[in-house]
Amino acid sequence: MPDLTLQDLADRITKLEDRLAILELMASYGPAIDSGSVDAVTRVWAEDGIYDVDTGIMRGHAEIAAMVRSQAHQNWIMGGCGHILEPGYVTIDGDTAVATCKSQLIIKDQDAPGFTVLRVTANRWEMKKIDGQWKCTVRTSRVLDGRDSAREILAAGVTAEA
């Protein structure tokens, strides 16, 4: 291992802290969305952040909050659901980053004991450090149902340099 300067070590610690902050931000989404915690959900995104799901695009905190408050989402919560995200593969370049992961929406089976995986989705999280905090600027999610766009999200994430 080459001799490391104090600055080299400080840079490595900063990168590790950034990676941890990004992973924690992503991990906060599941508990926030499944509990209907509007403020916690919107804190994941930058004020003008975009959530691009294959069912529609939400722009900014107001539209993302409206999705959380929507009757459709409230029905998922009240019926029993869990958004499960795997740890992301993160690439960081200064104050921007991209994280790639898969997620599952698991719902309580109302007709039998147990749960059903409703969907498995490829996710690309574009992040920016704003006022010292990582925020999602664009999250693009596509169902892994054989479509090219979902596989392309996953491939782009793991072929980028970490």
Side-chain angles (χ1 to χ4, degrees):
M1 177 177 250
D3 292 334
L4 297 174
T5 67
L6 190 55
Q7 185 60 53
D8 293 333
L9 292 172
D11 292 345
R12 290 174 80 173
I13 289 170
T14 297
K15 193 167 187 174
L16 287 169
E17 289 174 336
D18 285 342
R19 186 174 309 277
L20 179 59
I22 289 166
L23 292 172
E24 286 179 344
L25 182 70
M26 293 168 59
S28 74
Y29 178 77
I33 195 72
D34 294 332
S35 65
S37 301
V38 174
D39 291 341
V41 172
T42 59
R43 274 197 304 270
V44 171
W45 275 267
E47 187 67 38
D48 60 350
I50 296 169
Y51 189 6
D52 177 357
V53 184
D54 39 35
T55 57
I57 298 175
M58 292 157 271
R59 300 176 194 284
H61 283 186
E63 290 185 14
I64 294 168
M67 176 271 296
V68 178
R69 291 185 183 109
S70 72
Q71 191 59 53
H73 184 71
Q74 291 300 310
N75 288 343
W76 291 122
I77 293 172
M78 296 307 145
C81 73
H83 289 75
I84 312 299
L85 281 77
E86 67 182 7
Y89 180 82
V90 180
T91 59
I92 300 171
D93 184 10
D95 285 345
T96 63
V98 173
T100 304
C101 72
K102 293 186 300 295
S103 62
Q104 297 179 49
L105 173 53
I106 301 172
I107 60 169
K108 174 71 177 92
D109 190 332
Q110 300 304 315
D111 298 324
F115 291 81
T116 300
V117 175
L118 186 64
R119 59 189 282 149
V120 178
T121 306
N123 297 271
R124 175 184 172 89
W125 301 69
E126 296 175 35
M127 306 279 195
K128 185 173 183 178
K129 200 176 209 180
I130 301 169
D131 297 328
Q133 291 191 329
W134 286 97
K135 298 289 181 179
C136 182
T137 55
V138 179
R139 179 179 172 188
T140 305
S141 301
R142 295 293 179 267
V143 175
L144 282 159
D145 60 359
R147 67 183 79 186
D148 292 340
S149 59
R151 287 190 310 278
E152 289 165 2
I153 285 172
L154 298 177
V158 296
T159 57
E161 290 187 32

